[in-house]
Amino acid sequence: MNVISVKDEKEMSQIAAEKIIRLVHEKPDAVLGLATGGTPEGTYHALVADYQAGGTSYRKVRTVNLDEYVGLDPEHPNSYHTYMQEQLFNHIDIPEDQHFLPDGTAASLEYECRRYDKMIDSLGGIDLQLLGIGENGHIGFNEPGTPFDSGTHVVTLTPSTRHANARFFGKPEDVPERALTMGIGTILKSKSILLIVSGEKKADALYFLLNDPEQTVRFPASALLTHPDVTLIADRAAMSGLPLKGRNY
Ligand code: F6R
């Protein structure tokens, strides 16, 4: 794992964006794996700023997102479809039919999961997958216990994840109980992975990732230790090396 330690969230976002922009220049039809949540917002902001300054075109880029809540319509204000439109897609020149997210309203969720993995394969696989990390070490919505060879699947979100995401919904009860997520196996098939981590709340997860060489399904992000091309960009607060206190995976 290539570890880049930066001052703050702003620098993390800028460096992450530069890496994505470099890839799009080198490979204009790159397949980008994208994440949602608070951590990538600055990265998307930097991509939009670069686009608006006339820098980079996304006309041939294809994107696939990690996850979506079950039961939320794409137009729902808290869906990840809406998040992506608002954070990125509405502001760059990527064509409508080149960005993909799992459909959390599909009649058969099992079929949708299989379709999503096949669709990623048919695009030629993911060139670069952007990831955040959950406080419990989840990547995508792969909660502790998820097998490392899993494909896209339906998950029941843990109370800790619903609690962490309640800030987007108002209260934890409003956060859907289930989601569709790329599996850890799907993520590991990406040619390269860019993990961005910011803030003191992630310090325990990062400490565990960087200090415990054991790969265990109890800590999903440890699967990344098996991948040959992972870059971690983490800010000072996330790297603060807080002792492991009260971990509860
Ligand atoms: C989002 C995702 C999640 C988040 C993680 C961290 O698509 O898959 O794994 O990356 O929950 O979320 P934030 O960035 O909000 O702390």
Side-chain angles (χ1 to χ4, degrees), residues 34-41 44 65-68 80 83-84 129-142 161 164-165 167-168 181 187 195-196 198 201-202:
L34 299 179
T36 56
T39 315
E41 285 181 5
Y44 296 144
N65 261 79
L66 283 168
D67 38 25
E68 179 57 287
Y80 285 165
Y83 171 103
M84 289 308 304
Q129 175 65 55
L130 181 64
L131 290 181
I133 187 171
E135 290 169 42
N136 63 359
H138 73 219
I139 49 174
F141 273 135
N142 294 286
T161 298
N165 287 7
R167 67 193 195 278
F168 298 110
T181 182
I187 292 170
L195 173 63
I196 52 175
S198 164
K201 277 190 179 165
K202 303 294 172 66

Side-chain angles (χ1 to χ4, degrees), residues 76-90:
H76 188 284
N78 290 120
S79 76
Y80 285 165
H81 281 76
T82 299
Y83 171 103
M84 289 308 304
Q85 288 296 146
E86 289 177 350
Q87 296 291 327
L88 186 65
F89 301 149
N90 286 345

Side-chain angles (χ1 to χ4, degrees), residues 143-231:
E143 300 286 15
T146 310
F148 286 178
D149 61 355
S150 50
T152 298
H153 61 286
V154 184
V155 289
T156 299
L157 301 176
T158 62
S160 97
T161 298
R162 291 182 72 217
H163 187 265
N165 287 7
R167 67 193 195 278
F168 298 110
F169 285 82
K171 45 188 190 322
E173 307 88 84
D174 291 344
V175 182
E177 286 173 9
R178 293 188 303 157
L180 301 184
T181 182
M182 275 186 205
I184 296 180
T186 319
I187 292 170
L188 291 179
K189 278 206 267 173
S190 309
K191 287 160 202 137
S192 64
I193 293 175
L194 179 56
L195 173 63
I196 52 175
V197 189
S198 164
E200 209 178 303
K201 277 190 179 165
K202 303 294 172 66
D204 280 0
L206 204 55
Y207 182 89
F208 193 68
L209 179 66
L210 296 179
N211 287 283
D212 192 335
E214 192 200 352
Q215 285 122 50
T216 163
V217 294
R218 281 180 289 114
F219 190 73
S222 67
L224 300 176
L225 299 170
T226 67
H227 191 285
D229 188 354
V230 179
T231 300

